[in-house]
Amino acid sequence: IQWFPGHMLETKNQLKSAIARVDALLEVVDARLPLASSNPFLERIATGKNRMKLLNKADIADPEATQAWLEYFNRDIKWPAAAICATRPQEVSHALESLVSQVDRNKARKAKVMVVGIPNTGKSTILNTLAGRKVAKTGNVPAVTRHQQRTSLKDNIDIYDTPGILWPVIEPRHRGLVLAVSGAISDTAVDYHELAHFAAQLLLERYPACLIERYPFLNPLPGQAQALIETVGKARGCLKKGGHVDFQKASQLIIRDLRSGRLGRISFETPKDINVDDDTDQ
Ligand code: GTP
């Protein structure tokens, strides 16, 4: 899977030297896919840096999975982690304070904190919450932020926002699907049919109660992904000429509901999936 807009390459090259100039690093990942949305490149270049992984969008992630991830990061990877919702000021400030408290500095000197993360994880939203006003542009499409900017906060903290970065080759295939289903990479980067099946299978296997709650007409619950998409398509009027189900439309509807949290609090991966993935990057 290849999805690598030009400005990201430039960012990656600048990132290494930028990290060397700051006191601490706040990596924002998506709580629903905290490993797939972590950047392995950062792991390699940020050793020894004061750092924190923010599992953002915890408000729409499965709380049990989030808890398991927090234990995983704090224990196995030794990259301190906290789960937050970007629009809740208390949660965001608390995480920043705990990171800055690790920085060894004279209080007269500004603490420089850099916010990094792959596209669409909520970096700009976090920055706006910290600043208490709109300083960064947000959006639900990947790669909205294009230029680095600095914002001065209270308590002598300067925060640096960076454009979304992403590694050029997304492996293994499962990671690409997880990223695409969350909206972190463009839908067009993966085979849409495969993506729809992945989403439907995840819901059937792990979140059947969410499916029934959102789509009460699913009774009994279909056993197969294809049948699920077809039933939702029929019930929601995603039809082509002649009354046949429009699979593309039906799949889009399910993925939209899944992404937005309308299907409930759902996580796309748990620490238990790691061995299955055989992820060589981490
Ligand atoms: P790039 O500019 O592409 O790097 O994106 P970004 O990381 O700055 O993400 P941004 O803040 O633009 O947020 C992306 C989308 O996620 C927006 O639609 C936000 O409203 C949404 N979002 C951000 N944080 C949260 C959160 O904690 N919970 C929920 N439910 N949505 C969030």
Side-chain angles (χ1 to χ4, degrees), residues 68-247:
W69 279 118
L70 287 175
E71 284 162 22
Y72 169 82
F73 287 118
N74 287 315
R75 185 189 59 222
D76 296 346
I77 299 227
K78 301 199 174 49
W79 183 302
I84 61 146
C85 165
T87 49
R88 294 182 191 149
Q90 247 188 326
E91 291 178 13
V92 184
S93 308
H94 186 261
L96 181 68
E97 276 162 27
S98 107
L99 176 64
V100 170
S101 70
Q102 296 166 29
V103 175
D104 183 20
R105 64 162 172 150
N106 173 339
K107 284 271 170 6
R109 183 175 78 74
K110 283 190 180 249
K112 293 181 188 165
V113 178
M114 191 153 96
V115 180
V116 288
I118 70 160
N120 215 32
T121 48
K123 298 177 293 296
S124 300
T125 309
I126 288 172
L127 196 66
N128 290 340
T129 298
L130 284 170
R133 67 199 149 90
K134 198 168 160 66
V135 289
K137 203 171 156 190
T138 61
N140 61 1
V141 286
V144 167
T145 312
R146 294 283 157 116
H147 304 286
Q148 185 171 26
Q149 61 172 348
R150 184 186 64 189
T151 308
S152 292
L153 303 175
K154 62 180 174 61
D155 298 330
N156 236 1
I157 299 170
D158 269 356
I159 198 141
Y160 295 77
D161 185 21
T162 54
I165 54 157
L166 200 65
W167 50 100
V169 180
I170 301 157
E171 288 174 335
R173 195 172 194 81
H174 180 264
R175 173 181 261 185
L177 289 170
V178 167
L179 284 164
V181 91
S182 77
I185 60 171
S186 166
D187 287 350
T188 55
V190 293
D191 174 67
Y192 202 76
H193 194 69
E194 194 181 354
L195 183 65
H197 272 250
F198 172 75
Q201 206 58 45
L202 175 96
L203 289 165
L204 282 171
E205 281 171 14
R206 300 188 182 179
Y207 298 100
C210 293
L211 273 175
I212 292 166
E213 169 110 17
R214 172 76 182 157
Y215 308 129
F217 49 82
L218 287 177
N219 192 15
L221 204 59
Q224 303 289 326
Q226 186 79 4
L228 172 68
I229 299 168
E230 186 157 359
T231 314
V232 172
K234 256 189 213 151
R236 287 295 166 90
C238 306
L239 302 172
K240 287 197 229 178
K241 270 190 202 145
H244 298 293
V245 169
D246 184 333
F247 275 92

Side-chain angles (χ1 to χ4, degrees), residues 9 13 17 25 27 30 36 43 55 114 121 132 141 146 154 163 168 170 176 178 184-185 242 254 257 271 277 281:
L9 179 65
N13 291 337
S17 52
L25 203 59
E27 187 194 10
D30 188 322
E43 186 62 49
L55 276 55
M114 191 153 96
T121 48
V141 286
R146 294 283 157 116
K154 62 180 174 61
I170 301 157
V178 167
I185 60 171
I254 296 171
D257 278 354
D277 291 350
D281 276 340

